[in-house]
Amino acid sequence: DKIKIAKLCNKFNKNIDYKLCKPYMWFIFPEGTRFSQKKLIKAQEFARERGFVVYNNILQPRVKGFSYLAHHLHKSLGCIIDATILYHDKPPKPNDIF
């Protein structure tokens, strides 16, 4: 994944495929997967082993990808907005958000 992301960052910084898509917006879900009880237990074990905060209702955020993107796209990004999204029964459709 890291090699693919590096190539994408390089293309993005050179603005090769994204000339017509400005301004652009990326959404990153740092948990990296859908929530399940099994994944929660695994995330809690991961946090305990590393001395991180142990969460009861969310998965441990995965920050390597975000950190890599922020570091390698800092010249192209105008800003980074951190937002928390809560799904009640099911995730919304794109039209529900905008």
Side-chain angles (χ1 to χ4, degrees):
D1 284 350
K2 191 173 182 179
I3 293 170
K4 288 180 185 177
I5 292 171
K7 286 180 182 178
L8 235 154
C9 287
N10 190 33
K11 282 177 77 174
F12 193 82
N13 280 327
K14 289 181 179 178
N15 203 15
I16 295 169
D17 293 331
Y18 304 97
K19 290 179 183 173
L20 301 176
C21 303
K22 227 174 177 178
Y24 25 77
M25 187 181 306
W26 290 3
F27 290 91
I28 298 173
F29 294 87
E31 295 84 2
T33 188
R34 293 175 188 240
F35 184 90
S36 73
Q37 197 61 33
K38 183 178 177 181
K39 291 175 186 174
L40 176 63
I41 292 167
K42 194 171 181 178
Q44 289 172 332
E45 290 170 0
F46 175 87
R48 278 189 201 95
E49 290 170 2
R50 288 160 178 80
F52 298 156
V53 174
V54 177
Y55 298 111
N56 294 318
N57 299 304
I58 61 172
L59 301 179
Q60 190 70 29
R62 313 280 247 177
V63 297
K64 284 184 186 178
F66 172 78
S67 178
Y68 186 89
L69 289 172
H71 179 74
H72 289 86
L73 295 176
H74 70 277
K75 292 179 183 175
S76 300
L77 297 175
C79 65
I80 296 173
I81 299 172
D82 180 18
T84 299
I85 300 172
L86 172 65
Y87 302 133
H88 287 284
D89 296 323
K90 59 184 178 180
K93 297 174 187 159
N95 290 342
D96 296 337
I97 297 172
F98 302 105

